[in-house]
Amino acid sequence: MDYIDYYKTLDVTKSAAEAEIKKAYRKLARKYHPDLNPNDKEAEKKFKEINEANEVLSNPENRKKYDKYGKDWKHADEFEKAGYDPNQQQYSRQQSGQQEDFSGFGGGDFSGSDFSDFFNSMYGSGRSRQSQSKYRGQDFNAELQLDLASAYTTHKQNLSVNGKNIRITIPAGVENGQVIKIPGHGSAGANGGPNGDLYITFLIANNSDFKRESNNLYSNVDLDLYTAVLGGEVSINTFDGKVKIKVSPETQTGTKVKLKGKGFPVYKKDNQFGDLYVTYNLKIPTQLSEKEKELFTELSKLRNHE
């Protein structure tokens, strides 16, 4: 497998903080998401590369292995148990009090299945099966698509991962691009070693009339001229139903009001919600009757004489 610079893929530096990596991933994931680039093979390829880079760099353990071993990071545990030094590119072990150097074996390239064959032969022939080392299974990565309404409530969902069906609980408030870990649902370990983990990246499509930013929601509401001038009530849509709110007299277009606690659930925080921000858009009446035109004309004259 060729070396892929995950930092370059996400357009961040090697010293980037976790929050910076998360921000960069979300920006690129939105840009190249298949829903926004239908039938675009290049965008689809780029989207997969971005997700692969994020799956590695957003996981502190995997990132540490990647920084040290590059394209062979998935074999980090095997390398370290074998005494492999990536800087010196050689293997060594103590056997019967004698140091053995494996730096010339197979040209020094121990990536992929060739390394696994070498590693098994090295320990299988020199030691009994009972003393073979245990190795952790590989991690699995999966993507799960949800709509915004599904992400609003805690619910259970069945997944098929590597031929196995698992049932997971998805907490309310999960964000687009967020990665969660399901321990022990990766590949089986070797020689009795622990299983790997399953990392799920959530891709949340927003088909609603709301704009979401973290735990807050934003919406626009049309306000008729008469309610804006005289005041009154309007019915507002929220994720958990309609609510009525009062409109102050002489409300201007672009006025914003906050509905506290009517935003999105806070992830893994029971009964905690963000806020809903509503912006009023003044709706001018059309197709006026002759009588209405006369009244508006009279009102105009009254204003001009003040």
Side-chain angles (χ1 to χ4, degrees):
M1 180 180 71
D2 295 333
Y3 174 74
I4 301 175
D5 190 337
Y6 291 141
Y7 292 101
K8 185 176 180 180
T9 300
L10 294 182
D11 195 23
V12 296
T13 65
K14 193 172 182 179
S15 60
E18 184 177 346
E20 186 179 351
I21 290 174
K22 184 177 181 181
K23 181 179 180 181
Y25 167 73
R26 288 180 177 175
K27 178 181 178 181
L28 292 171
R30 284 194 295 268
K31 181 178 179 181
Y32 293 101
H33 196 284
D35 289 347
L36 301 178
N37 300 274
N39 302 319
D40 189 335
K41 296 298 182 182
E42 287 300 317
E44 181 180 354
K45 179 182 177 183
K46 185 70 175 178
F47 184 72
K48 291 179 179 179
E49 292 174 351
I50 293 167
N51 276 283
E52 179 181 337
N54 180 65
E55 288 166 4
V56 175
L57 299 184
S58 64
N59 182 297
E61 182 180 346
N62 289 344
R63 182 181 180 182
K64 183 178 179 181
K65 294 176 182 178
Y66 171 76
D67 287 344
K68 186 174 183 180
Y69 294 101
K71 67 183 179 66
D72 298 318
W73 69 272
K74 291 185 178 181
H75 298 292
D77 294 338
E78 297 173 352
F79 285 148
E80 292 176 358
K81 290 180 183 297
Y84 173 61
D85 187 337
N87 297 315
Q88 298 180 1
Q89 293 190 350
Q90 70 175 23
Y91 288 83
S92 62
R93 66 184 175 102
Q94 293 285 352
Q95 186 179 44
S96 303
Q98 182 180 4
Q99 185 81 10
E100 298 187 30
D101 184 6
F102 295 93
S103 60
F105 188 89
D109 183 5
F110 298 95
S111 62
S113 59
D114 291 340
F115 167 73
S116 299
D117 293 339
F118 158 73
F119 196 80
N120 290 333
S121 63
M122 182 178 78
Y123 284 99
S125 60
R127 300 182 180 183
S128 67
R129 291 185 178 273
Q130 294 180 348
S131 63
Q132 288 181 351
S133 299
K134 298 179 180 180
Y135 301 109
R136 182 180 179 276
Q138 295 295 317
D139 294 332
F140 287 157
N141 296 285
E143 293 179 350
L144 181 58
Q145 295 189 357
L146 300 174
D147 57 29
L148 197 63
S150 297
Y152 185 80
T153 58
T154 298
H155 65 283
K156 295 183 181 295
Q157 189 158 334
N158 293 321
L159 295 179
S160 179
V161 180
N162 201 36
K164 295 182 178 180
N165 293 322
I166 62 172
R167 187 171 177 81
I168 65 171
T169 298
I170 302 175
V174 65
E175 294 192 44
N176 183 49
Q178 184 172 342
V179 179
I180 66 171
K181 180 175 76 172
I182 311 296
H185 283 279
S187 177
N191 300 326
N195 293 347
D197 300 323
L198 169 63
Y199 290 88
I200 300 177
T201 301
F202 288 92
L203 304 178
I204 300 177
N206 186 356
N207 300 319
S208 73
D209 294 329
F210 300 95
K211 178 184 176 182
R212 180 187 181 188
E213 291 185 4
S214 186
N215 301 315
N216 294 326
L217 294 175
Y218 298 82
S219 69
N220 296 317
V221 173
D222 288 336
L223 192 64
D224 68 82
L225 176 64
Y226 310 106
T227 304
V229 173
L230 302 174
E233 286 187 342
V234 291
S235 182
I236 304 293
N237 288 322
T238 72
F239 253 105
D240 56 359
K242 292 180 177 290
V243 296
K244 287 186 176 182
I245 60 175
K246 291 184 177 181
V247 178
S248 301
E250 302 178 8
T251 294
Q252 303 296 309
T253 188
T255 297
K256 294 183 179 180
V257 294
K258 180 175 77 171
L259 279 64
K260 187 172 179 60
K262 290 298 181 180
F264 222 70
V266 180
Y267 183 72
K268 286 191 173 181
K269 299 287 186 180
D270 291 340
N271 300 318
Q272 292 189 31
F273 294 81
D275 302 320
L276 170 61
Y277 292 86
V278 176
T279 300
Y280 290 132
N281 294 325
L282 189 59
K283 190 174 182 181
I284 303 299
T286 60
Q287 299 179 340
L288 298 176
S289 67
E290 290 302 320
K291 181 62 175 178
E292 287 176 316
K293 291 179 182 178
E294 291 177 9
L295 291 174
F296 273 113
T297 301
E298 187 176 342
L299 287 172
S300 176
K301 292 178 179 178
L302 287 173
R303 295 291 294 182
N304 291 333
H305 289 159
E306 289 182 356

